[in-house]
Amino acid sequence: MRVLILGGDGFCGWPASLRLSAQDHVVGIVDNFARRRADVELGAESLTPIEPLTTRIAAWREVTGRTLESWELDVAHDYDGLLELLGEWETDAVVHFAEQRAAPYSMKSSRHKRYTVDNNINATHNLLAAIVESGRDVHVVHLGTMGVYGYGAAGVRIPEGYLRVRMDREDGGEVEQEILFPADPGSVYHMTKTQDQLLFGFYNKNDEVRITDLHQGIVWGTQTEETRRDERLINRFDYDGDYGTVLNRFLMQAAIGYPLTVHGSGGQTRAFIHLQDSVRCIQLAVEHPPKRGERVRIFNQMTEVHRVIDLARLVARLTVSPIDLPDNPRKEASRNDLFAENRQLLDLGLQPITLEDDLLREVTDIAFQYRHRCDRDKIPCRSRWVRDGVSPPRGTWAPPSRAAAGSRASSRAR
Amino acid sequence: MRVLILGGDGFCGWPASLRLSAQDHVVGIVDNFARRRADVELGAESLTPIEPLTTRIAAWREVTGRTLESWELDVAHDYDGLLELLGEWETDAVVHFAEQRAAPYSMKSSRHKRYTVDNNINATHNLLAAIVESGRDVHVVHLGTMGVYGYGAAGVRIPEGYLRVRMDREDGGEVEQEILFPADPGSVYHMTKTQDQLLFGFYNKNDEVRITDLHQGIVWGTQTEETRRDERLINRFDYDGDYGTVLNRFLMQAAIGYPLTVHGSGGQTRAFIHLQDSVRCIQLAVEHPPKRGERVRIFNQMTEVHRVIDLARLVARLTVSPIDLPDNPRKEASRNDLFAENRQLLDLGLQPITLEDDLLREVTDIAFQYRHRCDRDKIPCRSRWVRDGVSPPRGTWAPPSRAAAGSRASSRAR
């Protein structure tokens, strides 16, 4: 198949691109390098030494003989470029990672909130509108999040996207219907993913666009079979307070002798998946598209469920580290249970890598090997979910993908 | 109270501004004149001769001695201007009409879809983010639509926003929860209003922003007590295929001897409200704000329910007109029932004007009086909901509120 990967230079996008290429798909990478620019903004860097995309692509060619095409394009703001590419490149599927993906980053300030909404909604909508305008029957595989469900579902098992509910009819009877699971997002970032669901629902109903939405758990791990083949192919590893995910942050902290930071009580239960499984799931989704006219297909892309404090204890035991419990900056329940379905991807053949299998390798291969590159100042999470937090000074920040965001233009009415 | 009206020059915004001013509130109007620019784009014009905003404001002052302040500002793209205004003007409430509000317009072409999404989502989000950043406790009154509910609810009475449902628990028991009514929008325009609901839910939960969301039915009528006080205050009346609402289009068609256009069978049941009641509801919402910490308050702002074909027959009988039944360009059920709650606004004191009371006055005062201004070519609805429709040629269209939408900037990856 011919597959375009939007955001194909990112943490999940790059290993997904390699995976699909290794499986004999023809892969094109689209990226605006917003994630690399966010590193510049935050003064942060991947723990692992990632190469520029051109070097990565050249290394992949050298190692495998396979070619990856690439384009620098802002999907959210260059609609004509995207439309032209969809037509000319004759893609069968688009994997859509082109969204700002960090909850803490999305809550840093008003500007970060606005950037996240503007980028994520316009990126998804431009893609859908371009597919319709192109007249091509392109399958969209989107990276969503388990966070669309919220975490307060009162003991209800989280299904794969759709929930059967019963309600009262006007005539006194009862009716059972299947609805999209009620959204309860915990950050502006998560909220944009719930808005994406409405975009998908509409374009699927109105234009029969074929869509698979992958509600991903928290990804852990860094490398995949493909990224391990050459150091120039290495994937990024974020440990900073904005982009670092919880387990990767624990591993990094352990490696440098920093106490493991558990915000609040650590009683929150979350869903997890190893990066290697994540790219396998994307391959499975691409290779098993829904039929035309089928409703949006939703998979829960997660393999394990853990309480945050239990993960911290596990890493603490493996690495002999202390645990620190600062206040939780997020507005969320201090404790929750989580029961979630993930049958569909298992039925397609996914064989999960468990924490038990692979955690120690991650500690030694990545966290310990590259710990000299760590900047300890970047570890604390400084985003505040509510407005008593400190916003950066005005005028010092520009969104990563757009140089000028429109000048002040108000004036008296005509 | 001090009230800012975003979109205060529009069809509902202008009479709402006058109503609130007449009731001794201090009113400021913010508008970017997108609606007037859409007239230019479409080569259409209000049937009634509306004056420029400055003339309207001067006339209101002359007639009542009351002052309306105004600012030309694009809420979706001039965040800094909006933030400054919220702080300096010290507003208590913001009534938010600053969205593209026509379903057919939102479906005309890919560009119109994208303009609608970009404008509506960024306008709502900028407002919410600015309120939080300002630190002010501002009450947001938003104009939503009955269309967020969809129309296929299988005999379930449509509640005011929240629906009680029952679902199975993991432990075998059952749990009852109140959820946002499942969204089922019928156009890109309606979809943006369902996305707005998610924005409101999040900012209400995270930042305790006080919000009243008015899910309005189809508005009919043109004038209110206030707009009737001087011809320079006259409100707009749209009859074109994009912005004209169904009943106003019937009245116009009757006045010029054009067959009443019922798309499809006319079996769709819709909710209606007279413009005069609409502005009263807005006043009621402004004067009865939710408490801080209260969840988003949702009112169904509609007073009557009618089947489209019945309305056509009523107007046909009053005016001795024929009825025409062209194909329906919308993708929707050919027939539906609609049961909807509207108790909350009635409880606050709304006394509805019925079609029976006022329809004949509308026919004679507006449609017949101004029929010489009608351009018959603008009557047909040319939007197609699916992609076999004709899109306008590229490069000839710019969104009404933004001159340049970003140039083609893709290039090879670095």
Side-chain angles (χ1 to χ4, degrees):
Chain A
M1 271 194 261
R2 297 178 67 81
V3 188
L4 275 180
I5 318 273
L6 311 184
D9 184 49
F11 172 59
C12 291
W14 172 243
S17 300
L18 295 191
R19 175 75 187 180
L20 290 167
S21 176
Q23 301 294 315
D24 292 329
H25 298 294
V26 181
V27 173
I29 291 177
V30 171
D31 211 296
N32 69 344
F33 304 113
R35 181 65 195 86
R36 292 180 189 253
R37 289 201 188 92
D39 270 350
V40 176
E41 176 206 343
L42 300 169
E45 223 180 349
S46 167
L47 183 73
T48 48
I50 56 172
E51 296 289 346
L53 182 57
T54 44
T55 308
R56 287 174 149 188
I57 288 174
W60 182 245
R61 184 167 198 158
E62 207 181 297
V63 172
T64 66
R66 295 174 199 272
T67 305
L68 296 165
E69 275 196 89
S70 74
W71 301 266
E72 180 174 355
L73 191 149
D74 180 350
V75 175
H77 302 107
D78 182 5
Y79 176 80
D80 291 343
L82 178 65
L83 178 64
E84 199 177 306
L85 187 58
L86 282 182
E88 281 174 8
W89 206 71
E90 303 198 329
T91 195
D92 299 301
V94 172
V95 185
H96 172 28
F97 293 100
E99 296 187 272
Q100 194 297 97
R101 57 127 168 129
Y105 185 88
S106 79
M107 300 303 290
K108 282 182 95 65
S109 75
S110 188
R111 291 169 197 225
H112 293 86
K113 292 174 193 174
R114 292 167 48 235
Y115 165 67
T116 300
V117 169
D118 180 70
N119 181 78
N120 292 8
I121 302 307
N122 280 320
T124 300
H125 187 240
N126 277 353
L127 172 61
L128 295 168
I131 287 172
V132 173
E133 186 170 356
S134 76
R136 296 185 53 80
D137 184 16
V138 176
H139 174 211
V140 175
V141 176
H142 173 254
L143 269 284
T145 167
M146 289 293 291
V148 298
Y149 299 122
Y151 295 104
V156 174
R157 173 174 286 259
I158 291 178
E160 302 201 70
Y162 301 97
L163 178 70
R164 293 206 76 81
V165 297
R166 296 176 292 282
M167 41 195 162
D168 296 323
R169 285 175 54 99
E170 180 67 7
D171 61 12
E174 184 182 85
V175 62
E176 185 163 302
Q177 280 207 335
E178 203 159 41
I179 64 171
L180 205 57
F181 195 94
D184 185 20
S187 74
V188 164
Y189 153 75
H190 289 100
M191 190 202 57
T192 62
K193 297 283 186 171
T194 69
Q195 293 179 305
D196 282 342
Q197 291 194 285
L198 296 172
L199 285 162
F200 294 138
F202 178 75
Y203 276 88
N204 173 263
K205 179 176 75 167
N206 195 70
D207 301 287
E208 300 189 338
V209 178
R210 293 181 298 133
I211 297 162
T212 302
D213 199 2
L214 302 170
H215 289 179
Q216 188 161 256
I218 298 171
V219 176
W220 68 282
T222 311
Q223 295 277 61
T224 62
E225 282 169 36
E226 293 79 20
T227 62
R228 278 198 193 92
R229 296 184 64 173
D230 188 296
E231 204 188 2
R232 291 168 297 167
L233 300 175
I234 201 166
N235 197 30
R236 61 181 306 136
F237 178 110
D238 301 312
Y239 61 92
D240 63 279
D242 289 303
Y243 279 98
T245 54
V246 58
L247 190 52
N248 281 4
R249 279 165 57 77
F250 289 160
L251 297 176
M252 182 65 244
Q253 292 169 337
I256 61 165
Y258 192 104
L260 310 186
T261 319
V262 177
H263 292 113
S265 66
Q268 302 84 10
T269 305
R270 294 289 181 266
F272 292 86
I273 185 167
H274 191 287
L275 181 69
Q276 175 75 64
D277 287 339
S278 171
V279 303
R280 281 187 192 141
C281 290
I282 288 154
Q283 181 198 337
L284 289 169
V286 166
E287 293 176 354
H288 297 84
K291 291 185 193 61
R292 193 157 177 100
E294 189 178 327
R295 74 169 173 191
V296 176
R297 188 179 279 186
I298 301 175
F299 295 156
N300 290 342
Q301 186 163 306
M302 39 74 68
T303 58
E304 289 179 72
V305 160
H306 295 282
R307 213 171 279 281
V308 171
I309 188 70
D310 295 338
L311 288 182
R313 287 190 188 123
L314 176 63
V315 176
R317 203 169 57 233
L318 279 174
T319 59
V320 198
S321 305
I323 292 175
D324 188 27
L325 294 152
D327 286 347
N328 191 353
R330 303 195 185 207
K331 203 161 173 177
E332 63 184 2
S334 64
R335 193 183 164 89
N336 71 292
D337 291 318
L338 178 61
F339 309 102
E341 288 290 342
N342 65 344
R343 205 55 253 168
Q344 294 180 92
L345 283 161
L346 297 176
D347 287 348
L348 290 177
L350 179 68
Q351 294 179 315
I353 295 169
T354 63
L355 268 172
E356 216 170 307
D357 294 337
D358 222 60
L359 193 59
L360 205 58
R361 167 148 87 158
E362 194 65 25
V363 173
T364 52
D365 283 9
I366 300 293
F368 279 84
Q369 188 180 343
Y370 294 104
R371 66 184 162 182
H372 59 281
R373 289 174 46 91
C374 175
D375 175 355
R376 301 169 75 101
D377 288 348
K378 297 303 171 194
I379 293 179
C381 178
R382 297 198 161 86
S383 282
R384 287 278 165 271
W385 253 243
V386 286
R387 70 176 151 209
D388 55 345
V390 180
S391 281
R394 292 268 212 98
T396 58
W397 187 87
S401 69
R402 220 177 180 185
S407 58
R408 179 77 211 289
S410 70
S411 60
R412 288 269 138 184
R414 58 178 176 178
Chain B
M1 270 195 263
R2 298 177 66 81
V3 189
L4 275 180
I5 318 273
L6 311 184
D9 184 50
F11 172 57
C12 291
W14 172 242
S17 300
L18 296 190
R19 175 75 186 178
L20 290 167
S21 176
Q23 302 292 314
D24 291 329
H25 298 294
V26 181
V27 173
I29 291 177
V30 172
D31 211 296
N32 68 343
F33 305 113
R35 180 65 195 87
R36 291 180 189 251
R37 289 203 187 90
D39 270 350
V40 176
E41 177 206 342
L42 301 169
E45 223 180 345
S46 166
L47 183 73
T48 48
I50 56 172
E51 296 289 345
L53 181 57
T54 44
T55 308
R56 287 174 149 188
I57 288 174
W60 182 245
R61 183 168 199 155
E62 206 182 296
V63 172
T64 65
R66 294 174 198 273
T67 305
L68 295 165
E69 276 196 88
S70 73
W71 300 266
E72 180 172 354
L73 191 149
D74 180 348
V75 175
H77 302 106
D78 182 6
Y79 175 80
D80 291 343
L82 178 66
L83 178 63
E84 199 178 305
L85 188 58
L86 283 181
E88 282 175 7
W89 206 70
E90 304 198 326
T91 195
D92 300 301
V94 172
V95 185
H96 172 29
F97 293 102
E99 296 186 274
Q100 195 297 100
R101 57 126 169 130
Y105 185 88
S106 79
M107 300 302 291
K108 283 183 94 67
S109 76
S110 188
R111 291 172 197 221
H112 293 86
K113 292 174 194 175
R114 291 168 48 233
Y115 165 67
T116 300
V117 169
D118 180 71
N119 181 77
N120 292 7
I121 301 308
N122 281 319
T124 300
H125 187 240
N126 277 353
L127 172 61
L128 295 168
I131 287 173
V132 173
E133 186 171 356
S134 77
R136 295 185 53 80
D137 184 17
V138 176
H139 174 211
V140 175
V141 176
H142 173 253
L143 269 285
T145 167
M146 288 292 291
V148 296
Y149 298 121
Y151 295 104
V156 173
R157 173 174 287 258
I158 290 178
E160 302 201 70
Y162 301 97
L163 178 70
R164 290 206 78 82
V165 298
R166 294 177 294 280
M167 41 194 160
D168 296 323
R169 285 174 56 98
E170 179 68 7
D171 61 12
E174 185 182 85
V175 62
E176 185 164 301
Q177 281 207 334
E178 202 158 43
I179 64 170
L180 205 58
F181 196 94
D184 185 21
S187 73
V188 164
Y189 152 75
H190 289 101
M191 189 201 58
T192 61
K193 298 282 186 171
T194 69
Q195 294 178 305
D196 281 343
Q197 292 194 283
L198 297 172
L199 286 163
F200 294 137
F202 177 74
Y203 276 88
N204 173 263
K205 179 177 72 166
N206 195 70
D207 301 286
E208 300 191 337
V209 179
R210 293 181 297 133
I211 297 162
T212 302
D213 200 2
L214 301 169
H215 288 178
Q216 186 162 257
I218 298 171
V219 176
W220 67 282
T222 311
Q223 296 277 60
T224 62
E225 283 168 36
E226 292 79 21
T227 62
R228 277 199 193 91
R229 294 184 66 174
D230 188 296
E231 204 188 0
R232 291 168 297 167
L233 300 174
I234 200 166
N235 197 30
R236 59 182 308 134
F237 178 111
D238 301 312
Y239 60 93
D240 63 279
D242 289 303
Y243 279 98
T245 54
V246 58
L247 188 52
N248 282 4
R249 279 167 55 79
F250 288 160
L251 296 177
M252 182 66 244
Q253 292 168 337
I256 61 164
Y258 193 104
L260 310 186
T261 319
V262 177
H263 292 113
S265 65
Q268 303 84 11
T269 305
R270 294 289 180 266
F272 291 85
I273 185 167
H274 191 286
L275 181 69
Q276 175 75 64
D277 288 339
S278 171
V279 302
R280 281 186 191 143
C281 290
I282 288 155
Q283 182 198 336
L284 290 169
V286 166
E287 293 175 354
H288 297 84
K291 291 184 195 58
R292 193 154 176 101
E294 190 180 326
R295 74 169 175 191
V296 176
R297 189 179 278 185
I298 301 176
F299 295 157
N300 289 343
Q301 185 163 307
M302 40 72 67
T303 58
E304 291 180 71
V305 160
H306 296 282
R307 213 170 279 280
V308 171
I309 188 70
D310 295 336
L311 287 182
R313 287 193 187 119
L314 176 63
V315 176
R317 201 169 60 235
L318 279 175
T319 59
V320 199
S321 304
I323 292 175
D324 189 27
L325 295 150
D327 286 347
N328 191 353
R330 303 195 185 207
K331 203 158 171 178
E332 63 185 0
S334 64
R335 192 183 165 88
N336 72 291
D337 292 318
L338 177 61
F339 310 101
E341 288 291 341
N342 65 343
R343 206 53 254 169
Q344 294 180 94
L345 282 162
L346 298 176
D347 287 348
L348 290 177
L350 179 69
Q351 295 181 313
I353 295 168
T354 63
L355 268 174
E356 215 170 306
D357 295 335
D358 222 61
L359 191 59
L360 205 57
R361 165 149 88 157
E362 194 64 26
V363 173
T364 52
D365 283 9
I366 300 294
F368 278 84
Q369 187 179 343
Y370 294 104
R371 67 183 161 183
H372 60 281
R373 289 174 47 90
C374 173
D375 175 354
R376 302 171 75 101
D377 287 349
K378 298 302 171 193
I379 292 179
C381 178
R382 297 198 161 88
S383 282
R384 287 276 164 271
W385 253 242
V386 287
R387 72 175 149 213
D388 55 345
V390 180
S391 282
R394 292 270 211 97
T396 58
W397 187 87
S401 68
R402 219 179 182 184
S407 57
R408 181 76 211 290
S410 70
S411 61
R412 286 270 138 186
R414 58 180 177 177

